[in-house]
Amino acid sequence: HKEFRFLMPALPPTLAAAGGALAAWQADPKTAWRTRRAVALVLLTQIPAAAYLSWWHQSGTVAAVRHVAKLAVEGKVNAGGVFFATPCHQHPFHSHAHLPSRVPVPMSFLECPPASAEGRAEHEPDEADRFFADPETFLDTRFPRDGADGAPSHVVLFDGTSRDAGMKRWLEKWGFEVHKRLFHAHFAVDRELQAEVLVFARPVAARYAEAPETRASPETPEARHEENKQDEL
């Protein structure tokens, strides 16, 4: 997303230059055909690309958060909640986890704030860097087995990360198994070889209680009196 942000200032002059060229071609009967071919070429290439990149390519991160929200509604998110063991800001997170039952969904992810904001030196690795350098050591430190079950009930990660030997050992220690495989890309992308998003789950006894239903209070004295009569009956 940062690369796109830096390219945005070039978009207005580029569109103006392209529009000027199309207008010049259209004004001359001898070159008007160029305008039609240029527009047809743009439509034939950009519409399929926009559809594929919007609906399929790298869609697993959005689907994963929606699936987590569904699990929370069903009362299956327990203990330490959901941990996203993916590069920071890969998922839409709470913006796609709105729940009609208002069940709390504890979620955490690998953070990568600027060094100045975190109070560390520029050359020091952030949380995400430490995780990918040694997943098992990082997770053992973050979720120690000290008697308190603070580990998450679900872990979300890319298929490439799941093949790391240390990651496998940590998942096995806590009894995690693959709960859901979600399509992400037709070919592996980025450093984690992202082709699928995997949701791991483990059996946990505790469950979060659903928020109690609230009943609107009557707006008139007559309605309140009628409600009290019903409660007495």
Side-chain angles (χ1 to χ4, degrees):
H1 67 284
K2 295 178 180 177
E3 292 79 3
F4 297 151
R5 178 185 65 192
F6 292 130
L7 290 174
M8 289 301 291
L11 189 57
T14 302
L15 292 175
L22 291 176
W25 289 346
Q26 189 65 26
D28 187 349
K30 295 181 180 179
T31 58
W33 61 272
R34 294 182 181 177
T35 303
R36 294 190 292 271
R37 289 193 177 183
V39 172
L41 179 62
V42 169
L43 295 177
L44 289 174
T45 57
Q46 296 302 306
I47 290 179
Y52 175 72
L53 295 175
S54 298
W55 292 328
W56 289 286
H57 185 61
Q58 294 186 313
S59 61
T61 52
V62 176
V65 178
R66 289 175 177 166
H67 182 68
V68 165
K70 179 175 177 289
L71 292 175
V73 171
E74 296 172 353
K76 297 178 180 178
V77 177
N78 317 304
V82 182
F83 179 63
F84 291 82
T86 59
C88 57
H89 307 298
Q90 288 275 328
H91 298 266
F93 221 56
H94 285 294
S95 64
H96 280 60
H98 301 303
L99 303 176
S101 61
R102 294 168 292 176
V103 178
V105 189
M107 299 192 299
S108 57
F109 64 95
L110 298 170
E111 299 186 5
C112 55
S116 58
E118 200 173 22
R120 56 182 171 82
E122 288 290 342
H123 65 278
E124 291 182 8
D126 57 33
E127 192 175 64
D129 293 330
R130 296 195 301 271
F131 168 79
F132 287 107
D134 189 349
E136 184 178 17
T137 300
F138 177 89
L139 294 171
D140 283 340
T141 303
R142 180 156 182 163
F143 306 111
R145 298 181 68 91
D146 55 3
D149 193 357
S153 62
H154 294 78
V155 175
V156 180
L157 67 162
F158 289 112
D159 53 326
T161 307
S162 70
R163 290 190 286 271
D164 179 88
M167 189 76 232
K168 286 182 178 179
R169 287 193 296 270
W170 185 85
L171 292 170
E172 290 173 358
K173 281 189 290 189
W174 283 95
F176 281 98
E177 295 182 354
V178 176
H179 163 74
K180 188 78 172 179
R181 289 181 175 269
L182 299 166
F183 167 80
H184 187 62
H186 285 102
F187 49 91
V189 295
D190 291 343
R191 63 181 181 179
E192 296 80 26
L193 300 178
Q194 305 166 0
E196 288 183 310
V197 176
L198 307 182
V199 180
F200 283 81
R202 68 185 178 97
V204 184
R207 290 179 180 271
Y208 288 115
E210 294 190 2
E213 295 183 1
T214 58
R215 181 173 54 181
S217 59
E219 298 180 355
T220 64
E222 292 80 5
R224 285 196 294 270
H225 178 68
E226 185 63 27
E227 184 183 74
N228 290 335
K229 289 175 59 180
Q230 293 293 332
D231 291 340
E232 291 175 359
L233 293 176

